[in-house]
Amino acid sequence: MYYLMHHFNPDFDRLHLKPSENGTEATGVDLYNLGYAQNVLAGQKLAELIPIEEPGPGQDPRFCSDQPILPVGLNTCVDPSNPLALLATASGHVFYMNDKIAVKTLLNVPQDVDFKTGNIFFIGDVAVHGSVKAGFSVHGNNVRVMGVVEGANVRAHTHLLVEGGVWGGVGEKGLVYAGGNLKCSFLEKAEARARGNMLVNQNCLFSTVYAGASMVVQGKVYGGEINALGNVFAGTQLGNRAEISTVVHLGYDPITTLHMKRLEAIIAEQAQVIKHLTAVAGHLPVNANATTLRLQFLREKQQQHQEERERLMKKMTEAEKQISRCRLLCQGTVFPGVEITIGRVYMRVERQYIKSMFYLGDREIVVEPMPATVKMG
């Protein structure tokens, strides 16, 4: 007789998920992380047959059999080095399908991501057939959200598609990230980051954007800040009549820019603490007490952060060789009040421009009519 020992939960049912007990002191449970998918890696052992005389304590009779037959299903195989073990041949989520152990590389979420599903963390591709509600998150390889990302966090290791758009929500700020390209219907009061290109089919309003290549917005762009390494295209308008703060930075890698901003904030905060501790410690030696030890530690960390800042500055300086290729283009109206930075050169728009292109000339930003054909690569 053989017993099939599983290395995953064979009775897993995502329709009846229960909160884990790793919650806060107030709730006692974690309502946001319900374990929606059982992730496995290619080559991982899923189950194995163990010879037994008869079912023992804790051994479910359902998984006892007289024959050493493994339930080989989709994307699984018998271990070549052990005929009694079952392996995953692909990375994905494991479950029973038609009495066979199967692994699927695509995770379909047929509803909103909310308290019924909890956060979604999957090593493969994810398709959400609804919206991602405020306070929840979705992480995957390629991610497709058919609804709206509302005050939520969605991260795609490769490409991200949000068909319903991204909205910061009430009292929240949505964050979407793509390791490759990002495409969505709209951005409003949100933060969007992509190491590749970014396409917004409608409007980009009051949002902070970091595009590692170029960005195209088919509709309006106003409010917030856009950072792009390449070109930026705005369709119907850039800025608005009320001169709401609208800032466009071109020419630097946005992820480096973001890292630089964080470093600057950390260094500034450390400087304040060091100043205070220096006044308290006086001229005491380094090992005098806990205060002097902490002061020494912070000085060393600050030195490390300053060296990292110098490294980033050097990287940004080297990138300036390509800045002359950057273009800001608007098919419609560019309103006064828009602030444009290309490399280290700054311009504040003082009058309306229609169908215009902005680029870096000889130490100044030049404005010309938009060309008939535009290459955004």
Side-chain angles (χ1 to χ4, degrees):
M1 180 174 288
Y2 296 88
Y3 176 72
L4 184 64
M5 183 174 69
H6 296 83
H7 295 281
F8 66 97
N9 180 5
D11 296 318
F12 175 79
D13 181 3
R14 67 170 57 99
L15 298 179
H16 300 89
L17 299 173
K18 295 181 180 180
S20 67
E21 296 181 358
N22 298 320
T24 64
E25 293 182 2
T27 63
V29 294
D30 187 349
L31 300 175
Y32 287 86
N33 294 294
L34 308 182
Y36 191 81
Q38 296 190 96
N39 288 287
V40 295
L41 297 172
Q44 184 174 330
K45 185 187 294 185
L46 303 177
E48 57 186 317
L49 290 166
I50 301 174
I52 59 173
E53 295 293 333
E54 60 182 22
Q59 293 181 336
D60 193 326
R62 292 178 301 163
F63 303 117
C64 295
S65 63
D66 294 328
Q67 300 296 324
I69 300 175
L70 288 164
V72 180
L74 179 68
N75 291 323
T76 68
C77 72
V78 177
D79 186 347
S81 63
N82 181 5
L84 298 181
L86 185 68
L87 304 180
T89 59
S91 297
H93 64 104
V94 60
F95 63 103
Y96 264 94
M97 181 172 66
N98 300 325
D99 297 324
K100 304 291 185 181
I101 296 176
V103 174
K104 280 195 174 181
T105 57
L106 171 66
L107 178 65
N108 276 296
V109 183
Q111 61 191 87
D112 292 340
V113 174
D114 54 19
F115 285 108
K116 292 182 180 178
T117 64
N119 296 327
I120 306 296
F121 179 84
F122 185 52
I123 58 177
D125 297 341
V126 180
V128 178
H129 296 254
S131 297
V132 184
K133 297 299 184 179
F136 289 88
S137 65
V138 176
H139 289 204
N141 182 36
N142 292 291
V143 178
R144 178 186 180 190
V145 179
M146 301 177 195
V148 177
V149 174
E150 179 183 337
N153 185 317
V154 178
R155 292 176 177 268
H157 181 71
T158 309
H159 303 308
L160 172 61
L161 169 62
V162 184
E163 296 180 3
V166 184
W167 181 53
V170 179
E172 299 283 347
K173 181 143 185 171
L175 170 63
V176 289
Y177 169 86
N181 298 329
L182 190 157
K183 181 179 179 181
C184 63
S185 293
F186 66 85
L187 288 171
E188 184 172 351
K189 296 181 179 179
E191 182 172 340
R193 306 175 193 170
R195 289 192 173 273
N197 293 309
M198 192 176 299
L199 171 62
V200 181
N201 288 328
Q202 298 174 27
N203 303 323
C204 177
L205 310 177
F206 304 102
S207 296
T208 303
V209 173
Y210 299 91
S214 295
M215 180 179 185
V216 174
V217 181
Q218 302 286 8
K220 303 175 182 178
V221 180
Y222 63 78
E225 178 181 316
I226 293 176
N227 300 272
L229 178 61
N231 301 324
V232 170
F233 172 88
T236 57
Q237 73 181 64
L238 178 62
N240 65 359
R241 296 184 186 280
E243 297 190 18
I244 290 175
S245 177
T246 304
V247 180
V248 180
H249 299 292
L250 299 180
Y252 293 120
D253 174 47
I255 304 303
T256 302
T257 302
L258 185 60
H259 191 180
M260 179 68 82
K261 287 182 178 180
R262 290 172 177 168
L263 271 179
E264 293 287 359
I266 292 171
I267 291 171
E269 183 179 352
Q270 285 177 336
Q272 291 297 320
V273 177
I274 289 172
K275 182 178 179 181
H276 171 72
L277 292 179
T278 301
V280 173
H283 298 288
L284 291 174
V286 173
N287 297 323
N289 54 38
T291 299
T292 58
L293 288 171
R294 185 184 177 205
L295 178 59
Q296 180 63 19
F297 172 77
L298 285 175
R299 283 173 173 165
E300 291 174 357
K301 293 298 293 184
Q302 187 182 54
Q303 178 64 30
Q304 293 173 8
H305 288 137
Q306 288 173 340
E307 290 174 357
E308 176 67 5
R309 179 174 61 182
E310 290 300 317
R311 186 188 68 81
L312 292 178
M313 283 296 297
K314 183 178 180 181
K315 181 179 179 181
M316 293 173 73
T317 301
E318 291 174 352
E320 290 179 350
K321 299 174 183 177
Q322 307 297 324
I323 286 177
S324 61
R325 301 179 183 179
C326 294
R327 300 289 185 271
L328 170 61
L329 308 107
C330 183
Q331 184 69 37
T333 303
V334 180
F335 287 93
V338 172
E339 298 178 72
I340 303 168
T341 303
I342 303 179
R344 303 189 187 194
V345 181
Y346 170 84
M347 172 186 181
R348 178 182 170 86
V349 176
E350 300 296 343
R351 67 177 183 84
Q352 282 192 15
Y353 292 93
I354 298 176
K355 293 186 178 180
S356 301
M357 175 176 70
F358 300 76
Y359 66 94
L360 186 61
D362 184 15
R363 299 183 181 180
E364 66 177 3
I365 295 177
V366 179
V367 187
E368 291 184 355
M370 184 172 166
T373 58
V374 179
K375 184 177 180 180
M376 293 300 296

